[in-house]
């Protein structure tokens, strides 16, 4: 939701003044998953798979609305390619997901 709102602000600022663009730029925060020593900076496939599993483990234990699970969702969404996440979701729906959770 915040990404959609951010895009709307960018579009609005493009048609606005330089001051509006500067104000919008001050409000943007870009972040990704924190470094994890279990995964060197080479191939991130295992990191993606693990973070995705950690998220579903968390919601399985604490419920879908658990605030504690948000960090896992942010992590896998920033690391995993969208195509992979879509494939993971398909596999979960079909019951063929190889992960534990």
């Amino acid at each position: 939701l915040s990404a959609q709102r951010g895009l709307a602000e960018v579009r609005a600022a493009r048609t606005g003044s330089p001051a509006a663009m500067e104000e919008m730029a001050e409000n943007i925060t870009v972040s990704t998953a924190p470094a994890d020593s279990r995964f060197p900076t080479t191939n991130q496939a295992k990191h993606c798979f693990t973070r995705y599993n950690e998220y579903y483990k968390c919601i399985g234990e604490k419920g879908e609305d658990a605030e504690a699970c948000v960090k896992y969702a942010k992590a896998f969404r920033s690391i995993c390619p969208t195509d992979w996440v879509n494939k993971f979701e398909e596999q979960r729906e079909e019951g063929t997901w190889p992960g534990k959770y």
Side-chain angles (χ1 to χ4, degrees), residues 32-39 44-58 69-80 88 97 101:
T32 187
D36 190 329
S37 61
R38 297 176 294 176
F39 308 102
Q44 293 296 303
K46 186 174 180 182
H47 192 185
C48 165
F49 183 85
T50 301
R51 293 295 184 163
Y52 184 84
N53 266 327
E54 288 174 336
Y55 170 70
Y56 279 98
K57 176 184 179 187
C58 182
C69 301
V70 171
K71 66 181 179 182
Y72 298 116
K74 286 181 180 179
F76 89 75
R77 288 183 182 129
S78 70
I79 294 169
C80 302
F88 295 167
W97 171 245
Y101 303 99

PDB file of all heavy atoms in Angstrom, residues 32-39 44-58 69-80 88 97 101:
ATOM      1  N   THR A  32      16.157  -2.694   2.508  1.00  0.00           N
ATOM      2  CA  THR A  32      16.077  -4.081   2.078  1.00  0.00           C
ATOM      3  C   THR A  32      16.334  -4.963   3.287  1.00  0.00           C
ATOM      4  O   THR A  32      16.513  -4.469   4.387  1.00  0.00           O
ATOM      5  CB  THR A  32      17.076  -4.372   0.934  1.00  0.00           C
ATOM      6  OG1 THR A  32      16.845  -5.678   0.432  1.00  0.00           O
ATOM      7  CG2 THR A  32      18.505  -4.245   1.383  1.00  0.00           C
ATOM      8  N   ALA A  33      16.350  -6.251   3.076  1.00  0.00           N
ATOM      9  CA  ALA A  33      16.587  -7.179   4.180  1.00  0.00           C
ATOM     10  C   ALA A  33      17.985  -6.955   4.741  1.00  0.00           C
ATOM     11  O   ALA A  33      18.915  -6.662   3.995  1.00  0.00           O
ATOM     12  CB  ALA A  33      16.453  -8.611   3.692  1.00  0.00           C
ATOM     13  N   PRO A  34      18.141  -7.113   6.051  1.00  0.00           N
ATOM     14  CA  PRO A  34      19.467  -6.944   6.640  1.00  0.00           C
ATOM     15  C   PRO A  34      20.411  -8.064   6.204  1.00  0.00           C
ATOM     16  O   PRO A  34      19.970  -9.133   5.799  1.00  0.00           O
ATOM     17  CB  PRO A  34      19.200  -7.003   8.141  1.00  0.00           C
ATOM     18  CG  PRO A  34      17.924  -7.753   8.276  1.00  0.00           C
ATOM     19  CD  PRO A  34      17.129  -7.451   7.037  1.00  0.00           C
ATOM     20  N   ALA A  35      21.703  -7.801   6.297  1.00  0.00           N
ATOM     21  CA  ALA A  35      22.695  -8.820   5.955  1.00  0.00           C
ATOM     22  C   ALA A  35      22.539 -10.014   6.883  1.00  0.00           C
ATOM     23  O   ALA A  35      22.191  -9.868   8.046  1.00  0.00           O
ATOM     24  CB  ALA A  35      24.094  -8.233   6.078  1.00  0.00           C
ATOM     25  N   ASP A  36      22.756 -11.191   6.349  1.00  0.00           N
ATOM     26  CA  ASP A  36      22.629 -12.419   7.123  1.00  0.00           C
ATOM     27  C   ASP A  36      23.879 -13.248   6.876  1.00  0.00           C
ATOM     28  O   ASP A  36      24.139 -13.664   5.748  1.00  0.00           O
ATOM     29  CB  ASP A  36      21.379 -13.181   6.685  1.00  0.00           C
ATOM     30  CG  ASP A  36      21.032 -14.340   7.594  1.00  0.00           C
ATOM     31  OD1 ASP A  36      21.962 -14.942   8.167  1.00  0.00           O
ATOM     32  OD2 ASP A  36      19.837 -14.643   7.722  1.00  0.00           O
ATOM     33  N   SER A  37      24.668 -13.462   7.924  1.00  0.00           N
ATOM     34  CA  SER A  37      25.947 -14.153   7.764  1.00  0.00           C
ATOM     35  C   SER A  37      25.792 -15.592   7.294  1.00  0.00           C
ATOM     36  O   SER A  37      26.757 -16.209   6.844  1.00  0.00           O
ATOM     37  CB  SER A  37      26.733 -14.120   9.076  1.00  0.00           C
ATOM     38  OG  SER A  37      26.015 -14.785  10.098  1.00  0.00           O
ATOM     39  N   ARG A  38      24.583 -16.141   7.370  1.00  0.00           N
ATOM     40  CA  ARG A  38      24.370 -17.504   6.875  1.00  0.00           C
ATOM     41  C   ARG A  38      24.430 -17.561   5.357  1.00  0.00           C
ATOM     42  O   ARG A  38      24.571 -18.628   4.767  1.00  0.00           O
ATOM     43  CB  ARG A  38      23.004 -18.037   7.331  1.00  0.00           C
ATOM     44  CG  ARG A  38      22.854 -18.167   8.824  1.00  0.00           C
ATOM     45  CD  ARG A  38      21.465 -18.612   9.188  1.00  0.00           C
ATOM     46  NE  ARG A  38      20.496 -17.565   8.841  1.00  0.00           N
ATOM     47  CZ  ARG A  38      19.176 -17.712   8.971  1.00  0.00           C
ATOM     48  NH1 ARG A  38      18.668 -18.839   9.404  1.00  0.00           N
ATOM     49  NH2 ARG A  38      18.371 -16.717   8.659  1.00  0.00           N
ATOM     50  N   PHE A  39      24.307 -16.404   4.711  1.00  0.00           N
ATOM     51  CA  PHE A  39      24.244 -16.359   3.257  1.00  0.00           C
ATOM     52  C   PHE A  39      25.270 -15.362   2.727  1.00  0.00           C
ATOM     53  O   PHE A  39      25.045 -14.158   2.774  1.00  0.00           O
ATOM     54  CB  PHE A  39      22.840 -15.957   2.790  1.00  0.00           C
ATOM     55  CG  PHE A  39      21.777 -16.811   3.404  1.00  0.00           C
ATOM     56  CD1 PHE A  39      21.023 -16.347   4.467  1.00  0.00           C
ATOM     57  CD2 PHE A  39      21.543 -18.090   2.940  1.00  0.00           C
ATOM     58  CE1 PHE A  39      20.046 -17.130   5.043  1.00  0.00           C
ATOM     59  CE2 PHE A  39      20.571 -18.886   3.511  1.00  0.00           C
ATOM     60  CZ  PHE A  39      19.825 -18.410   4.569  1.00  0.00           C
ATOM     61  N   GLN A  44      21.846 -15.771  -3.886  1.00  0.00           N
ATOM     62  CA  GLN A  44      20.852 -15.465  -2.862  1.00  0.00           C
ATOM     63  C   GLN A  44      19.627 -16.370  -2.915  1.00  0.00           C
ATOM     64  O   GLN A  44      18.649 -16.138  -2.219  1.00  0.00           O
ATOM     65  CB  GLN A  44      20.428 -14.003  -2.985  1.00  0.00           C
ATOM     66  CG  GLN A  44      21.536 -13.030  -2.647  1.00  0.00           C
ATOM     67  CD  GLN A  44      21.972 -13.132  -1.195  1.00  0.00           C
ATOM     68  OE1 GLN A  44      21.160 -12.990  -0.291  1.00  0.00           O
ATOM     69  NE2 GLN A  44      23.242 -13.399  -0.976  1.00  0.00           N
ATOM     70  N   ALA A  45      19.651 -17.422  -3.729  1.00  0.00           N
ATOM     71  CA  ALA A  45      18.490 -18.305  -3.862  1.00  0.00           C
ATOM     72  C   ALA A  45      18.130 -18.964  -2.531  1.00  0.00           C
ATOM     73  O   ALA A  45      16.959 -18.991  -2.135  1.00  0.00           O
ATOM     74  CB  ALA A  45      18.738 -19.362  -4.930  1.00  0.00           C
ATOM     75  N   LYS A  46      19.120 -19.479  -1.828  1.00  0.00           N
ATOM     76  CA  LYS A  46      18.849 -20.129  -0.542  1.00  0.00           C
ATOM     77  C   LYS A  46      18.347 -19.112   0.475  1.00  0.00           C
ATOM     78  O   LYS A  46      17.457 -19.404   1.274  1.00  0.00           O
ATOM     79  CB  LYS A  46      20.106 -20.828  -0.025  1.00  0.00           C
ATOM     80  CG  LYS A  46      19.853 -21.633   1.234  1.00  0.00           C
ATOM     81  CD  LYS A  46      21.071 -22.424   1.655  1.00  0.00           C
ATOM     82  CE  LYS A  46      20.772 -23.211   2.912  1.00  0.00           C
ATOM     83  NZ  LYS A  46      21.936 -23.947   3.394  1.00  0.00           N
ATOM     84  N   HIS A  47      18.916 -17.912   0.434  1.00  0.00           N
ATOM     85  CA  HIS A  47      18.469 -16.833   1.326  1.00  0.00           C
ATOM     86  C   HIS A  47      16.999 -16.523   1.069  1.00  0.00           C
ATOM     87  O   HIS A  47      16.200 -16.409   2.003  1.00  0.00           O
ATOM     88  CB  HIS A  47      19.343 -15.608   1.086  1.00  0.00           C
ATOM     89  CG  HIS A  47      19.203 -14.534   2.095  1.00  0.00           C
ATOM     90  ND1 HIS A  47      19.849 -13.333   1.965  1.00  0.00           N
ATOM     91  CD2 HIS A  47      18.492 -14.431   3.247  1.00  0.00           C
ATOM     92  CE1 HIS A  47      19.555 -12.564   2.985  1.00  0.00           C
ATOM     93  NE2 HIS A  47      18.724 -13.203   3.773  1.00  0.00           N
ATOM     94  N   CYS A  48      16.615 -16.401  -0.188  1.00  0.00           N
ATOM     95  CA  CYS A  48      15.225 -16.142  -0.569  1.00  0.00           C
ATOM     96  C   CYS A  48      14.309 -17.245  -0.047  1.00  0.00           C
ATOM     97  O   CYS A  48      13.295 -16.976   0.606  1.00  0.00           O
ATOM     98  CB  CYS A  48      15.140 -16.042  -2.098  1.00  0.00           C
ATOM     99  SG  CYS A  48      13.479 -16.158  -2.783  1.00  0.00           S
ATOM    100  N   PHE A  49      14.659 -18.489  -0.333  1.00  0.00           N
ATOM    101  CA  PHE A  49      13.862 -19.639   0.078  1.00  0.00           C
ATOM    102  C   PHE A  49      13.698 -19.667   1.603  1.00  0.00           C
ATOM    103  O   PHE A  49      12.599 -19.875   2.123  1.00  0.00           O
ATOM    104  CB  PHE A  49      14.541 -20.925  -0.418  1.00  0.00           C
ATOM    105  CG  PHE A  49      13.795 -22.180  -0.121  1.00  0.00           C
ATOM    106  CD1 PHE A  49      12.799 -22.629  -0.972  1.00  0.00           C
ATOM    107  CD2 PHE A  49      14.093 -22.944   0.997  1.00  0.00           C
ATOM    108  CE1 PHE A  49      12.105 -23.814  -0.716  1.00  0.00           C
ATOM    109  CE2 PHE A  49      13.412 -24.121   1.279  1.00  0.00           C
ATOM    110  CZ  PHE A  49      12.410 -24.553   0.415  1.00  0.00           C
ATOM    111  N   THR A  50      14.788 -19.430   2.331  1.00  0.00           N
ATOM    112  CA  THR A  50      14.753 -19.465   3.786  1.00  0.00           C
ATOM    113  C   THR A  50      13.883 -18.351   4.352  1.00  0.00           C
ATOM    114  O   THR A  50      13.069 -18.578   5.263  1.00  0.00           O
ATOM    115  CB  THR A  50      16.183 -19.366   4.355  1.00  0.00           C
ATOM    116  OG1 THR A  50      16.944 -20.458   3.840  1.00  0.00           O
ATOM    117  CG2 THR A  50      16.191 -19.401   5.867  1.00  0.00           C
ATOM    118  N   ARG A  51      14.023 -17.148   3.835  1.00  0.00           N
ATOM    119  CA  ARG A  51      13.214 -16.022   4.328  1.00  0.00           C
ATOM    120  C   ARG A  51      11.728 -16.252   4.047  1.00  0.00           C
ATOM    121  O   ARG A  51      10.876 -15.925   4.866  1.00  0.00           O
ATOM    122  CB  ARG A  51      13.675 -14.703   3.701  1.00  0.00           C
ATOM    123  CG  ARG A  51      15.047 -14.280   4.124  1.00  0.00           C
ATOM    124  CD  ARG A  51      15.105 -13.979   5.593  1.00  0.00           C
ATOM    125  NE  ARG A  51      16.424 -13.480   5.929  1.00  0.00           N
ATOM    126  CZ  ARG A  51      16.713 -12.841   7.026  1.00  0.00           C
ATOM    127  NH1 ARG A  51      15.793 -12.641   7.939  1.00  0.00           N
ATOM    128  NH2 ARG A  51      17.933 -12.419   7.255  1.00  0.00           N
ATOM    129  N   TYR A  52      11.431 -16.793   2.886  1.00  0.00           N
ATOM    130  CA  TYR A  52      10.036 -17.098   2.540  1.00  0.00           C
ATOM    131  C   TYR A  52       9.471 -18.116   3.531  1.00  0.00           C
ATOM    132  O   TYR A  52       8.362 -17.952   4.047  1.00  0.00           O
ATOM    133  CB  TYR A  52       9.966 -17.635   1.108  1.00  0.00           C
ATOM    134  CG  TYR A  52       8.576 -17.899   0.610  1.00  0.00           C
ATOM    135  CD1 TYR A  52       7.812 -16.876   0.063  1.00  0.00           C
ATOM    136  CD2 TYR A  52       8.018 -19.171   0.662  1.00  0.00           C
ATOM    137  CE1 TYR A  52       6.530 -17.117  -0.412  1.00  0.00           C
ATOM    138  CE2 TYR A  52       6.746 -19.423   0.190  1.00  0.00           C
ATOM    139  CZ  TYR A  52       6.005 -18.398  -0.350  1.00  0.00           C
ATOM    140  OH  TYR A  52       4.731 -18.640  -0.814  1.00  0.00           O
ATOM    141  N   ASN A  53      10.239 -19.165   3.822  1.00  0.00           N
ATOM    142  CA  ASN A  53       9.812 -20.177   4.798  1.00  0.00           C
ATOM    143  C   ASN A  53       9.654 -19.584   6.194  1.00  0.00           C
ATOM    144  O   ASN A  53       8.728 -19.926   6.922  1.00  0.00           O
ATOM    145  CB  ASN A  53      10.800 -21.333   4.847  1.00  0.00           C
ATOM    146  CG  ASN A  53      10.410 -22.465   3.939  1.00  0.00           C
ATOM    147  OD1 ASN A  53       9.235 -22.735   3.733  1.00  0.00           O
ATOM    148  ND2 ASN A  53      11.402 -23.113   3.381  1.00  0.00           N
ATOM    149  N   GLU A  54      10.578 -18.709   6.588  1.00  0.00           N
ATOM    150  CA  GLU A  54      10.495 -18.083   7.914  1.00  0.00           C
ATOM    151  C   GLU A  54       9.204 -17.285   8.055  1.00  0.00           C
ATOM    152  O   GLU A  54       8.577 -17.292   9.116  1.00  0.00           O
ATOM    153  CB  GLU A  54      11.698 -17.172   8.158  1.00  0.00           C
ATOM    154  CG  GLU A  54      12.977 -17.916   8.394  1.00  0.00           C
ATOM    155  CD  GLU A  54      14.193 -17.009   8.483  1.00  0.00           C
ATOM    156  OE1 GLU A  54      14.170 -15.879   7.939  1.00  0.00           O
ATOM    157  OE2 GLU A  54      15.176 -17.447   9.085  1.00  0.00           O
ATOM    158  N   TYR A  55       8.805 -16.608   6.993  1.00  0.00           N
ATOM    159  CA  TYR A  55       7.561 -15.841   7.027  1.00  0.00           C
ATOM    160  C   TYR A  55       6.366 -16.763   7.270  1.00  0.00           C
ATOM    161  O   TYR A  55       5.543 -16.514   8.148  1.00  0.00           O
ATOM    162  CB  TYR A  55       7.377 -15.057   5.729  1.00  0.00           C
ATOM    163  CG  TYR A  55       6.006 -14.432   5.616  1.00  0.00           C
ATOM    164  CD1 TYR A  55       5.647 -13.367   6.426  1.00  0.00           C
ATOM    165  CD2 TYR A  55       5.063 -14.919   4.721  1.00  0.00           C
ATOM    166  CE1 TYR A  55       4.382 -12.796   6.346  1.00  0.00           C
ATOM    167  CE2 TYR A  55       3.808 -14.359   4.632  1.00  0.00           C
ATOM    168  CZ  TYR A  55       3.472 -13.296   5.438  1.00  0.00           C
ATOM    169  OH  TYR A  55       2.220 -12.746   5.357  1.00  0.00           O
ATOM    170  N   TYR A  56       6.272 -17.844   6.513  1.00  0.00           N
ATOM    171  CA  TYR A  56       5.127 -18.741   6.673  1.00  0.00           C
ATOM    172  C   TYR A  56       5.179 -19.513   7.982  1.00  0.00           C
ATOM    173  O   TYR A  56       4.145 -19.863   8.539  1.00  0.00           O
ATOM    174  CB  TYR A  56       4.972 -19.657   5.454  1.00  0.00           C
ATOM    175  CG  TYR A  56       4.262 -18.907   4.362  1.00  0.00           C
ATOM    176  CD1 TYR A  56       4.951 -18.301   3.328  1.00  0.00           C
ATOM    177  CD2 TYR A  56       2.888 -18.733   4.405  1.00  0.00           C
ATOM    178  CE1 TYR A  56       4.292 -17.570   2.358  1.00  0.00           C
ATOM    179  CE2 TYR A  56       2.219 -18.006   3.439  1.00  0.00           C
ATOM    180  CZ  TYR A  56       2.926 -17.420   2.427  1.00  0.00           C
ATOM    181  OH  TYR A  56       2.269 -16.687   1.474  1.00  0.00           O
ATOM    182  N   LYS A  57       6.368 -19.753   8.495  1.00  0.00           N
ATOM    183  CA  LYS A  57       6.484 -20.359   9.828  1.00  0.00           C
ATOM    184  C   LYS A  57       5.914 -19.394  10.864  1.00  0.00           C
ATOM    185  O   LYS A  57       5.143 -19.785  11.744  1.00  0.00           O
ATOM    186  CB  LYS A  57       7.943 -20.673  10.158  1.00  0.00           C
ATOM    187  CG  LYS A  57       8.137 -21.206  11.550  1.00  0.00           C
ATOM    188  CD  LYS A  57       9.603 -21.423  11.880  1.00  0.00           C
ATOM    189  CE  LYS A  57       9.736 -21.943  13.301  1.00  0.00           C
ATOM    190  NZ  LYS A  57      11.137 -22.021  13.719  1.00  0.00           N
ATOM    191  N   CYS A  58       6.277 -18.138  10.757  1.00  0.00           N
ATOM    192  CA  CYS A  58       5.815 -17.119  11.700  1.00  0.00           C
ATOM    193  C   CYS A  58       4.290 -16.981  11.674  1.00  0.00           C
ATOM    194  O   CYS A  58       3.647 -16.998  12.726  1.00  0.00           O
ATOM    195  CB  CYS A  58       6.477 -15.777  11.387  1.00  0.00           C
ATOM    196  SG  CYS A  58       6.033 -14.451  12.527  1.00  0.00           S
ATOM    197  N   CYS A  69       5.618 -10.852  12.220  1.00  0.00           N
ATOM    198  CA  CYS A  69       5.896 -11.493  10.927  1.00  0.00           C
ATOM    199  C   CYS A  69       6.202 -10.485   9.818  1.00  0.00           C
ATOM    200  O   CYS A  69       6.678 -10.882   8.746  1.00  0.00           O
ATOM    201  CB  CYS A  69       4.723 -12.376  10.519  1.00  0.00           C
ATOM    202  SG  CYS A  69       4.355 -13.664  11.723  1.00  0.00           S
ATOM    203  N   VAL A  70       5.946  -9.225  10.061  1.00  0.00           N
ATOM    204  CA  VAL A  70       6.142  -8.200   9.032  1.00  0.00           C
ATOM    205  C   VAL A  70       7.589  -8.162   8.555  1.00  0.00           C
ATOM    206  O   VAL A  70       7.852  -8.035   7.363  1.00  0.00           O
ATOM    207  CB  VAL A  70       5.684  -6.819   9.547  1.00  0.00           C
ATOM    208  CG1 VAL A  70       6.077  -5.707   8.599  1.00  0.00           C
ATOM    209  CG2 VAL A  70       4.188  -6.822   9.787  1.00  0.00           C
ATOM    210  N   LYS A  71       8.543  -8.301   9.487  1.00  0.00           N
ATOM    211  CA  LYS A  71       9.957  -8.233   9.089  1.00  0.00           C
ATOM    212  C   LYS A  71      10.321  -9.369   8.131  1.00  0.00           C
ATOM    213  O   LYS A  71      11.121  -9.181   7.219  1.00  0.00           O
ATOM    214  CB  LYS A  71      10.872  -8.233  10.308  1.00  0.00           C
ATOM    215  CG  LYS A  71      10.868  -9.510  11.108  1.00  0.00           C
ATOM    216  CD  LYS A  71      11.791  -9.418  12.313  1.00  0.00           C
ATOM    217  CE  LYS A  71      11.736 -10.708  13.110  1.00  0.00           C
ATOM    218  NZ  LYS A  71      12.581 -10.637  14.287  1.00  0.00           N
ATOM    219  N   TYR A  72       9.713 -10.533   8.320  1.00  0.00           N
ATOM    220  CA  TYR A  72       9.985 -11.655   7.420  1.00  0.00           C
ATOM    221  C   TYR A  72       9.380 -11.404   6.036  1.00  0.00           C
ATOM    222  O   TYR A  72       9.987 -11.728   5.020  1.00  0.00           O
ATOM    223  CB  TYR A  72       9.449 -12.963   7.993  1.00  0.00           C
ATOM    224  CG  TYR A  72      10.098 -13.347   9.299  1.00  0.00           C
ATOM    225  CD1 TYR A  72       9.363 -13.412  10.463  1.00  0.00           C
ATOM    226  CD2 TYR A  72      11.455 -13.636   9.363  1.00  0.00           C
ATOM    227  CE1 TYR A  72       9.957 -13.760  11.672  1.00  0.00           C
ATOM    228  CE2 TYR A  72      12.065 -13.987  10.554  1.00  0.00           C
ATOM    229  CZ  TYR A  72      11.308 -14.050  11.704  1.00  0.00           C
ATOM    230  OH  TYR A  72      11.904 -14.392  12.891  1.00  0.00           O
ATOM    231  N   ALA A  73       8.197 -10.831   6.013  1.00  0.00           N
ATOM    232  CA  ALA A  73       7.558 -10.511   4.735  1.00  0.00           C
ATOM    233  C   ALA A  73       8.401  -9.490   3.968  1.00  0.00           C
ATOM    234  O   ALA A  73       8.644  -9.647   2.767  1.00  0.00           O
ATOM    235  CB  ALA A  73       6.153  -9.985   4.957  1.00  0.00           C
ATOM    236  N   LYS A  74       8.865  -8.450   4.654  1.00  0.00           N
ATOM    237  CA  LYS A  74       9.701  -7.443   4.002  1.00  0.00           C
ATOM    238  C   LYS A  74      10.984  -8.069   3.480  1.00  0.00           C
ATOM    239  O   LYS A  74      11.448  -7.726   2.396  1.00  0.00           O
ATOM    240  CB  LYS A  74      10.030  -6.315   4.975  1.00  0.00           C
ATOM    241  CG  LYS A  74       8.888  -5.390   5.245  1.00  0.00           C
ATOM    242  CD  LYS A  74       9.298  -4.281   6.188  1.00  0.00           C
ATOM    243  CE  LYS A  74       8.149  -3.344   6.469  1.00  0.00           C
ATOM    244  NZ  LYS A  74       8.544  -2.270   7.402  1.00  0.00           N
ATOM    245  N   ALA A  75      11.558  -8.972   4.264  1.00  0.00           N
ATOM    246  CA  ALA A  75      12.820  -9.601   3.861  1.00  0.00           C
ATOM    247  C   ALA A  75      12.657 -10.428   2.592  1.00  0.00           C
ATOM    248  O   ALA A  75      13.408 -10.250   1.632  1.00  0.00           O
ATOM    249  CB  ALA A  75      13.361 -10.466   4.992  1.00  0.00           C
ATOM    250  N   PHE A  76      11.681 -11.323   2.564  1.00  0.00           N
ATOM    251  CA  PHE A  76      11.575 -12.166   1.364  1.00  0.00           C
ATOM    252  C   PHE A  76      11.117 -11.364   0.164  1.00  0.00           C
ATOM    253  O   PHE A  76      11.537 -11.632  -0.958  1.00  0.00           O
ATOM    254  CB  PHE A  76      10.723 -13.427   1.605  1.00  0.00           C
ATOM    255  CG  PHE A  76       9.251 -13.331   1.359  1.00  0.00           C
ATOM    256  CD1 PHE A  76       8.736 -13.318   0.079  1.00  0.00           C
ATOM    257  CD2 PHE A  76       8.360 -13.290   2.427  1.00  0.00           C
ATOM    258  CE1 PHE A  76       7.370 -13.260  -0.147  1.00  0.00           C
ATOM    259  CE2 PHE A  76       6.998 -13.231   2.211  1.00  0.00           C
ATOM    260  CZ  PHE A  76       6.496 -13.211   0.922  1.00  0.00           C
ATOM    261  N   ARG A  77      10.306 -10.347   0.375  1.00  0.00           N
ATOM    262  CA  ARG A  77       9.849  -9.539  -0.766  1.00  0.00           C
ATOM    263  C   ARG A  77      10.975  -8.688  -1.348  1.00  0.00           C
ATOM    264  O   ARG A  77      10.946  -8.370  -2.538  1.00  0.00           O
ATOM    265  CB  ARG A  77       8.670  -8.673  -0.352  1.00  0.00           C
ATOM    266  CG  ARG A  77       7.426  -9.495  -0.145  1.00  0.00           C
ATOM    267  CD  ARG A  77       6.215  -8.658   0.193  1.00  0.00           C
ATOM    268  NE  ARG A  77       5.075  -9.530   0.417  1.00  0.00           N
ATOM    269  CZ  ARG A  77       4.303  -9.478   1.485  1.00  0.00           C
ATOM    270  NH1 ARG A  77       4.512  -8.581   2.423  1.00  0.00           N
ATOM    271  NH2 ARG A  77       3.302 -10.319   1.625  1.00  0.00           N
ATOM    272  N   SER A  78      11.954  -8.322  -0.530  1.00  0.00           N
ATOM    273  CA  SER A  78      13.062  -7.526  -1.054  1.00  0.00           C
ATOM    274  C   SER A  78      14.149  -8.398  -1.684  1.00  0.00           C
ATOM    275  O   SER A  78      14.894  -7.934  -2.525  1.00  0.00           O
ATOM    276  CB  SER A  78      13.660  -6.650   0.042  1.00  0.00           C
ATOM    277  OG  SER A  78      14.343  -7.420   0.992  1.00  0.00           O
ATOM    278  N   ILE A  79      14.238  -9.659  -1.286  1.00  0.00           N
ATOM    279  CA  ILE A  79      15.286 -10.544  -1.796  1.00  0.00           C
ATOM    280  C   ILE A  79      14.815 -11.374  -2.987  1.00  0.00           C
ATOM    281  O   ILE A  79      15.534 -11.528  -3.965  1.00  0.00           O
ATOM    282  CB  ILE A  79      15.778 -11.489  -0.683  1.00  0.00           C
ATOM    283  CG1 ILE A  79      16.465 -10.679   0.402  1.00  0.00           C
ATOM    284  CG2 ILE A  79      16.718 -12.541  -1.233  1.00  0.00           C
ATOM    285  CD1 ILE A  79      16.750 -11.478   1.641  1.00  0.00           C
ATOM    286  N   CYS A  80      13.616 -11.912  -2.908  1.00  0.00           N
ATOM    287  CA  CYS A  80      13.132 -12.856  -3.919  1.00  0.00           C
ATOM    288  C   CYS A  80      12.587 -12.142  -5.157  1.00  0.00           C
ATOM    289  O   CYS A  80      11.825 -11.188  -5.033  1.00  0.00           O
ATOM    290  CB  CYS A  80      12.006 -13.716  -3.343  1.00  0.00           C
ATOM    291  SG  CYS A  80      12.456 -14.658  -1.882  1.00  0.00           S
ATOM    292  N   PHE A  88       6.216 -19.786  -5.900  1.00  0.00           N
ATOM    293  CA  PHE A  88       6.092 -20.337  -4.545  1.00  0.00           C
ATOM    294  C   PHE A  88       4.632 -20.365  -4.107  1.00  0.00           C
ATOM    295  O   PHE A  88       4.155 -21.358  -3.547  1.00  0.00           O
ATOM    296  CB  PHE A  88       6.889 -19.507  -3.531  1.00  0.00           C
ATOM    297  CG  PHE A  88       8.389 -19.499  -3.705  1.00  0.00           C
ATOM    298  CD1 PHE A  88       9.151 -18.573  -3.007  1.00  0.00           C
ATOM    299  CD2 PHE A  88       9.045 -20.394  -4.542  1.00  0.00           C
ATOM    300  CE1 PHE A  88      10.531 -18.552  -3.131  1.00  0.00           C
ATOM    301  CE2 PHE A  88      10.432 -20.367  -4.673  1.00  0.00           C
ATOM    302  CZ  PHE A  88      11.174 -19.436  -3.967  1.00  0.00           C
ATOM    303  N   TRP A  97       4.525 -27.400  -2.584  1.00  0.00           N
ATOM    304  CA  TRP A  97       5.618 -26.583  -2.051  1.00  0.00           C
ATOM    305  C   TRP A  97       6.591 -27.482  -1.278  1.00  0.00           C
ATOM    306  O   TRP A  97       6.202 -28.209  -0.376  1.00  0.00           O
ATOM    307  CB  TRP A  97       5.047 -25.503  -1.142  1.00  0.00           C
ATOM    308  CG  TRP A  97       6.067 -24.730  -0.366  1.00  0.00           C
ATOM    309  CD1 TRP A  97       6.228 -24.706   0.974  1.00  0.00           C
ATOM    310  CD2 TRP A  97       7.060 -23.861  -0.893  1.00  0.00           C
ATOM    311  NE1 TRP A  97       7.266 -23.886   1.325  1.00  0.00           N
ATOM    312  CE2 TRP A  97       7.806 -23.354   0.185  1.00  0.00           C
ATOM    313  CE3 TRP A  97       7.422 -23.477  -2.188  1.00  0.00           C
ATOM    314  CZ2 TRP A  97       8.860 -22.471   0.027  1.00  0.00           C
ATOM    315  CZ3 TRP A  97       8.480 -22.588  -2.343  1.00  0.00           C
ATOM    316  CH2 TRP A  97       9.191 -22.100  -1.254  1.00  0.00           C
ATOM    317  N   TYR A 101       7.044 -25.203   5.749  1.00  0.00           N
ATOM    318  CA  TYR A 101       5.885 -24.465   6.257  1.00  0.00           C
ATOM    319  C   TYR A 101       4.957 -24.034   5.161  1.00  0.00           C
ATOM    320  O   TYR A 101       5.278 -23.758   4.095  1.00  0.00           O
ATOM    321  CB  TYR A 101       6.351 -23.259   7.073  1.00  0.00           C
ATOM    322  CG  TYR A 101       7.240 -23.678   8.201  1.00  0.00           C
ATOM    323  CD1 TYR A 101       8.614 -23.593   8.105  1.00  0.00           C
ATOM    324  CD2 TYR A 101       6.692 -24.225   9.354  1.00  0.00           C
ATOM    325  CE1 TYR A 101       9.428 -24.014   9.145  1.00  0.00           C
ATOM    326  CE2 TYR A 101       7.502 -24.643  10.391  1.00  0.00           C
ATOM    327  CZ  TYR A 101       8.862 -24.540  10.291  1.00  0.00           C
ATOM    328  OH  TYR A 101       9.664 -24.962  11.308  1.00  0.00           O
TER     329      TYR A 101
END
